[in-house]
Amino acid sequence: ETRNFARLDGILEKFSDDGFSPDRRTFHILIGGHIRNHNLPAAMQILRTMQDAGYPLSPTTHAVVVAAYRSLGPDPLVRTHALQALPHTDGKTQSFVLNSILQLCIDAHDTEWLSLVLQIFRLDHLDIFRIIKLDTAVSCRDDDDNSEAHIRASSSFHLLRSSVNVVPDVVTYTMLLHLAAQRRDVSSAIGLLVHMQGAGVTPNSSL
């Protein structure tokens, strides 16, 4: 809260030296702090360490990451750095991070980034992708987004399409189904449900 980010790096070592084990809340505080400090590699490392310590990724973790990203505002560089970090993480973490970006895009009505995320998830053959691509009027991206940040994001996207295979999970489908419901898009909702079933993803109580 004091934004003294430099002290984050030694926190886990301090716990170990004092004979204590960090809990889920400790890991969440560190993840949020590193994201706010634009240190995505460190945040990814904490996510891996948290899972290794026996704390699986949870809806609360997802909320922490989304809140941290949101606090930075619609910064395309932050999202680009998150994309660039994906190849260096495991499959579950890849889905988790991409879901966080997906939620930010939905909240911001950012259709351009939303379409990029759906392509990385290999969901660009579904009706919801086609409709989002057509619906550019509500995009919140700045008009001058032919900037270095946007060019870097596009470059990262093309590299990711060929280097990673990020698998959509139940959280991905849940967010997209809620989006389809908000838009009263029955066709997209049906397509998502069919694809979800074909992928063997089991719905949870949030659907």
Side-chain angles (χ1 to χ4, degrees), residues 64-76:
V64 168
V65 172
V66 170
Y69 278 125
R70 189 179 289 124
S71 71
L72 299 175
D75 185 346

Side-chain angles (χ1 to χ4, degrees), residues 101-185:
I101 299 175
L102 175 62
Q103 185 64 64
L104 285 174
C105 297
I106 292 173
D107 292 345
H109 307 292
D110 190 337
T111 55
E112 179 113 2
W113 263 88
L114 186 54
S115 67
L116 288 179
V117 171
L118 290 180
Q119 289 178 75
I120 296 172
F121 269 130
R122 305 294 201 278
L123 296 175
D124 46 318
H125 59 288
L126 299 181
D127 282 350
I128 194 165
F129 174 80
R130 176 179 54 80
I131 293 171
I132 287 170
K133 285 290 288 184
L134 292 173
D135 188 14
T136 58
V138 295
S139 175
C140 74
R141 292 195 308 107
D142 295 333
D143 291 335
D144 64 348
D145 214 12
N146 288 320
S147 60
E148 180 183 351
H150 183 59
I151 294 171
R152 193 178 304 174
S154 298
S155 176
S156 296
F157 160 73
H158 289 299
L159 288 173
L160 281 170
R161 283 281 289 183
S162 60
S163 63
V164 299
N165 182 26
V166 186
V167 179
D169 57 18
V170 67
V171 176
T172 314
Y173 288 107
T174 298
M175 288 190 289
L176 292 174
L177 283 166
H178 286 172
L179 176 63
Q182 291 169 5
R183 299 165 66 98
R184 296 181 173 84
D185 185 354

